[in-house]
Amino acid sequence: PFWHDWLYADPSQFLTLEALHYWHRQFWDHDMQWCKHALGAGELDFQFSVLLPIAGFHHFNQGMTKLKQVGGCTQRDAQ
């Protein structure tokens, strides 16, 4: 890559686990809730339920708004 000789340009050097955790939480706490209010819970659930299943990712066939506990893998799959 073109950045091989740049000091501190390696993503593993500056993207710490804490920052990644914060961005996943921010998506779930803010962006997903905004979509839920903008579209409505029924429409959002429908849109997630009609997505095609992808190997290695969770398929939300019942939608997203009824989830009680959400972990990191679920947040990643929703994004």
Side-chain angles (χ1 to χ4, degrees):
F2 66 89
W3 64 80
H4 67 45
D5 57 346
W6 295 357
L7 188 61
Y8 305 118
D10 183 13
S12 66
Q13 296 286 328
F14 62 85
L15 289 179
T16 63
L17 293 177
E18 183 177 334
L20 292 174
H21 172 76
Y22 169 77
W23 290 325
H24 282 295
R25 290 301 306 170
Q26 194 274 341
F27 168 80
W28 187 261
D29 292 341
H30 177 71
D31 299 343
M32 184 61 106
Q33 300 306 318
W34 181 87
C35 289
K36 188 166 123 179
H37 291 299
L39 294 175
E43 179 66 20
L44 187 62
D45 283 341
F46 173 74
Q47 294 297 327
F48 269 96
S49 69
V50 297
L51 289 172
L52 295 174
I54 299 173
F57 289 94
H58 181 79
H59 183 246
F60 302 98
N61 55 357
Q62 299 297 319
M64 299 269 320
T65 60
K66 295 174 184 69
L67 294 176
K68 300 287 186 222
Q69 185 175 6
V70 180
C73 292
T74 305
Q75 290 173 0
R76 181 204 61 209
D77 293 346
Q79 291 177 12

